[in-house]
Amino acid sequence: MKNYVEIFKKLLQINDKKNFVIIQMFVSSGLNNIASLLPPIATSGIIAMVTSDNFNGIWFYVVLYIIFYIIYFGTLRWNYYTYTVLADFYHIEVERMLFNKVANNDEIFKKISKGKILETCSDDIRWLVDVIDCVVKASMSILKLLIIFGIFMYYNIFVATMALLLNLLYLKLMNNNSKKVSKYFEGTRKYEDKNVDILTQMLENLRQVKTLNMMPRLDKNLDKTRRKWKEQYKKKRDYMTTRYCSIPFIVYIGKILLYIFLAYLVINNKMKLDQLVLLISYFEMTITCTDLMLDNLLNLSNYGVRVNRIKNILDYSHQKGIDFGDIDNDYINGTVEFKNVCYQIGNSLILNKVSFKIYPNEINAIIGHSGSGKTTIVNLLYRLNRIKSGEILIDNESIYNYSNNVYFSNVSGVFQKPFVFEMSIKDNLSLIDSNIKNQIEVCKRVGLHDYIVSLPKGYNTIIGEDKHLFTEGQKQLLAIARSLLTKSEILLLDEVTSNIDPNTTIKIGEILCDLKQDHTIIMITHKPEMMAIADRVVVIDKGRVVARGNNEEVYKKCNLYQELRNRTFASISVLDGEI
């Protein structure tokens, strides 16, 4: 029983804002269970009237029947209402808590798998209200059983003792069974998480999985997990079979013996027929009530697994976040400077005394081999990490001194993979700015407006509804338009043209040449046609700046100038030449 109480306590620790409604659920369920004990009294009364040839007295008990059932269904309706209120609350509030926890703790995936988090957010939260429901029903079943045994003792102590011992044995066997079922239920969830985790990764990289023919080997790896799941599931079903096919047999043997004894009492005039009917009705209730209580305790054990999974995510302890200042100066010009910046992860030095300066109204390209530290520079500008030493300045002020509101309204960006939600174009843009005039303005600026208005639903077109409506390049243009809605002075672009067609790449280059008139543009790129439009270039190699300056000067040193002038689309390495 202690284990069940702990599960309930953990749920209240997750969120305890609806305690008054929980109390109402206990009260309504208690009254409903007491009301369910009343109809047998009316039944016994009718039989007593029949056996005494007092037909007119039957109507009194008929009226009682109606009153008893009005009370029963009225309290049941109240109980259903409290369940609905709690279901809405827990699903919405705990989902919000989980989303916020994951969104604000990038490193949580190092400790908790993505599959487990997805399963918890999508499945486990919807069962939280049932934890309360099971606790309420199990508690009220115990109360109901105590009342029934009290009635048995009033009529016959020996009968009460037999019924009590039978139920205690039944409870003991079933409770031990519940622990085993819960154990193997947790095992099945563990291996389900692993498979979902692999499936998520597979879907994120489906193109590579197909082109490299990984599916056969992936399927073999999944089969190992499937076999483990099958073992856990079989053991769970074995105990479930014992629970519902073997243990109840004991109860029915006991029930037969009890009924024989009651019949003996009636035959020997030691008990009246109406009392026999009453006690049989109540004993049948004890079986139903005990089964209901045991089912709820079993479910509570299973739900305890879900509660623990939710609580593990919400209790995730992460390293102390970066402290930001409170400078609310929103008049940022857009000069960006790195001064001897060092950054490391563990013992690995990623950036080593990196220094460069970037000016407004220019396109600045950061180029270098994969793993040289380019993306780290962008991530630092997003303030996702804190540097080990040196300074990162915007308008001669440390980036960590700006308030969040000011910083993120002045620094925005677009990533390699165009990220748009499967919702309407308008809704995607409204995540930043719901003003439709502003949305149209930025879409015109990136050259998307004419295409959007040509669609049957215009700005109400759902992205993803028809895969042929939006290419990857158009999604990237929409992502750029969305970043423009932030009114940011500094735009960060991380390989935004790496996965799109050449024509869209050229178009984005033209857009950036237009945007630099009122923005500071910093882009990571490996495409020659994008490098060619840069005003200034920073070349990174192994975490160090190995070249910087204006476009032509740096590229000549890298033996790339002629290639860039020809705007070739070949893949190249920016450090093949001598610097």
Side-chain angles (χ1 to χ4, degrees):
M1 190 60 68
K2 183 180 178 181
N3 182 48
Y4 303 128
V5 174
E6 286 300 316
I7 293 170
F8 185 59
K9 283 183 178 178
K10 285 181 180 179
L11 176 64
L12 295 182
Q13 289 169 4
I14 289 173
N15 201 311
D16 62 353
K17 293 180 180 178
K18 288 289 182 180
N19 285 351
F20 180 66
V21 182
I22 294 174
I23 292 170
Q24 288 186 63
M25 182 177 270
F26 272 98
V27 173
S28 61
S29 182
L31 292 175
N32 182 255
N33 275 275
I34 292 171
S36 69
L37 295 172
L38 301 177
I41 296 174
T43 303
S44 177
I46 290 173
I47 291 174
M49 294 298 103
V50 170
T51 55
S52 63
D53 296 326
N54 183 5
F55 186 77
N56 291 329
I58 290 176
W59 295 108
F60 171 75
Y61 290 102
V62 169
V63 173
L64 274 184
Y65 251 127
I66 295 171
I67 294 171
F68 290 160
Y69 278 113
I70 288 173
I71 296 171
Y72 176 81
F73 286 110
T75 53
L76 185 63
R77 187 180 183 86
W78 183 16
N79 186 257
Y80 270 58
Y81 166 76
T82 59
Y83 181 98
T84 303
V85 171
L86 290 173
D88 288 346
F89 173 76
Y90 276 106
H91 191 102
I92 294 170
E93 288 302 315
V94 176
E95 182 184 72
R96 181 181 289 117
M97 292 166 66
L98 287 169
F99 280 21
N100 288 337
K101 189 73 175 184
V102 174
N104 294 320
N105 295 279
D106 295 343
E107 294 190 353
I108 195 170
F109 296 108
K110 294 179 181 178
K111 184 176 180 182
I112 305 172
S113 74
K114 186 179 291 186
K116 185 173 183 177
I117 290 174
L118 288 172
E119 279 285 283
T120 300
C121 293
S122 62
D123 184 51
D124 292 332
I125 58 171
R126 67 191 177 96
W127 299 100
L128 284 181
V129 66
D130 290 292
V131 174
I132 299 172
D133 193 49
C134 286
V135 170
V136 169
K137 286 179 177 176
S139 302
M140 294 305 109
S141 294
I142 293 171
L143 174 64
K144 188 174 179 178
L145 286 170
L146 290 174
I147 294 172
I148 291 174
F149 289 130
I151 294 171
F152 273 119
M153 290 185 69
Y154 174 77
Y155 284 102
N156 191 297
I157 293 178
F158 184 73
V159 172
T161 304
M162 284 182 64
L164 180 62
L165 291 175
L166 193 61
N167 267 274
L168 288 175
L169 176 62
Y170 190 42
L171 282 169
K172 176 67 176 174
L173 293 173
M174 285 295 218
N175 187 54
N176 290 339
N177 181 273
S178 294
K179 291 178 182 177
K180 296 292 185 181
V181 172
S182 177
K183 173 185 174 182
Y184 292 113
F185 172 76
E186 186 172 7
T188 59
R189 293 292 290 165
K190 173 184 174 182
Y191 293 110
E192 284 167 5
D193 288 340
K194 288 188 176 182
N195 272 358
V196 171
D197 204 35
I198 294 172
L199 177 63
T200 303
Q201 295 173 55
M202 188 180 76
L203 292 176
E204 288 177 350
N205 302 279
L206 193 56
R207 188 179 299 173
Q208 294 182 54
V209 170
K210 286 182 177 180
T211 55
L212 297 175
N213 195 28
M214 294 180 183
M215 271 311 299
R217 290 186 179 276
L218 269 177
D219 204 44
K220 286 183 179 180
N221 288 337
L222 286 167
D223 275 340
K224 294 177 184 177
T225 311
R226 288 168 185 149
R227 284 195 295 271
K228 292 288 187 181
W229 177 89
K230 185 177 179 180
E231 291 172 7
Q232 297 291 309
Y233 183 74
K234 184 180 182 302
K235 289 177 181 178
K236 187 187 87 166
R237 291 302 301 178
D238 287 343
Y239 280 104
M240 293 288 285
T241 302
T242 301
R243 179 183 189 85
Y244 293 112
C245 300
S246 302
I247 298 176
F249 185 72
I250 299 169
V251 178
Y252 288 100
I253 294 296
K255 182 170 75 169
I256 292 169
L257 295 174
L258 182 62
Y259 287 175
I260 291 172
F261 179 71
L262 289 172
Y264 169 80
L265 293 177
V266 173
I267 291 170
N268 289 276
N269 295 319
K270 293 182 179 180
M271 181 178 289
K272 294 180 180 179
L273 183 61
D274 59 303
Q275 294 174 344
L276 172 68
V277 172
L278 183 67
L279 292 180
I280 287 177
S281 297
Y282 280 139
F283 187 74
E284 290 292 340
M285 276 191 183
T286 63
I287 296 172
T288 304
C289 191
T290 303
D291 282 337
L292 179 63
M293 178 181 67
L294 290 168
D295 282 343
N296 279 294
L297 291 178
L298 173 62
N299 289 335
L300 187 59
S301 296
N302 293 338
Y303 297 151
V305 175
R306 300 180 187 277
V307 170
N308 286 332
R309 288 157 60 93
I310 292 170
K311 203 162 185 309
N312 285 342
I313 294 175
L314 294 177
D315 289 347
Y316 169 74
S317 57
H318 57 285
Q319 294 181 348
K320 187 177 183 296
I322 301 172
D323 293 323
F324 300 121
D326 56 2
I327 293 177
D328 57 0
N329 170 30
D330 203 20
Y331 300 100
I332 289 178
N333 189 36
T335 302
V336 178
E337 185 174 7
F338 274 56
K339 283 187 174 181
N340 295 315
V341 171
C342 292
Y343 175 73
Q344 69 181 52
I345 299 175
N347 296 323
S348 178
L349 190 62
I350 309 300
L351 296 181
N352 186 9
K353 295 184 178 180
V354 169
S355 296
F356 59 83
K357 195 166 186 176
I358 287 172
Y359 297 94
N361 310 121
E362 291 183 347
I363 298 174
N364 300 267
I366 299 176
I367 63 177
H369 284 303
S370 177
S372 60
K374 306 186 302 297
T375 298
T376 299
I377 289 173
V378 172
N379 288 339
L380 288 172
L381 284 170
Y382 281 125
R383 302 202 306 187
L384 297 177
N385 307 103
R386 182 178 279 280
I387 57 179
K388 179 184 177 183
S389 61
E391 290 183 293
I392 304 176
L393 308 173
I394 291 180
D395 290 357
N396 295 317
E397 187 70 58
S398 170
I399 62 171
Y400 304 113
N401 292 341
Y402 290 101
S403 68
N404 274 328
N405 287 338
V406 167
Y407 196 81
F408 290 117
S409 65
N410 283 280
V411 179
S412 182
V414 185
F415 297 89
Q416 179 175 348
K417 186 176 180 180
F419 172 63
V420 288
F421 288 99
E422 290 188 3
M423 53 178 68
S424 72
I425 298 168
K426 181 175 69 175
D427 288 341
N428 263 285
L429 296 174
S430 292
L431 293 171
I432 307 298
D433 186 348
S434 59
N435 187 307
I436 189 65
K437 290 183 179 179
N438 292 340
Q439 293 179 11
I440 291 172
E441 181 183 335
V442 295
C443 286
K444 284 181 177 179
R445 194 163 186 186
V446 300
L448 265 183
H449 176 71
D450 290 342
Y451 175 72
I452 292 173
V453 295
S454 72
L455 298 172
K457 297 181 181 178
Y459 279 82
N460 291 315
T461 301
I462 306 294
I463 295 174
E465 194 172 48
D466 184 342
K467 296 186 182 299
H468 300 293
L469 285 181
F470 261 78
T471 65
E472 290 298 296
Q474 287 169 323
K475 288 180 182 178
Q476 193 66 285
L477 291 174
L478 186 63
I480 294 173
R482 188 171 55 191
S483 70
L484 292 180
L485 283 174
T486 64
K487 302 293 192 297
S488 298
E489 299 296 330
I490 300 169
L491 293 179
L492 309 176
L493 301 104
D494 188 357
E495 297 282 15
V496 295
T497 60
S498 62
N499 296 319
I500 60 179
D501 61 277
N503 288 334
T504 309
T505 297
I506 293 172
K507 186 174 184 179
I508 288 178
E510 293 170 351
I511 291 168
L512 295 184
C513 289
D514 171 58
L515 291 177
K516 77 175 184 178
Q517 298 176 42
D518 47 14
H519 291 86
T520 300
I521 296 176
I522 302 172
M523 67 174 178
I524 292 174
T525 187
H526 68 276
K527 286 197 171 183
E529 57 270 35
M530 296 302 292
M531 296 179 194
I533 67 170
D535 298 293
R536 294 180 186 272
V537 180
V538 177
V539 183
I540 303 290
D541 183 31
K542 297 178 182 178
R544 289 179 176 271
V545 174
V546 293
R548 64 186 177 209
N550 65 49
N551 180 318
E552 184 175 339
E553 178 183 321
V554 171
Y555 290 150
K556 278 183 177 178
K557 289 181 180 179
C558 295
N559 294 334
L560 293 172
Y561 187 60
Q562 189 58 43
E563 288 184 77
L564 296 175
R565 284 176 61 86
N566 296 332
R567 298 176 67 85
T568 63
F569 291 91
S571 297
I572 59 172
S573 172
V574 299
L575 295 176
D576 282 343
E578 295 295 327
I579 296 177

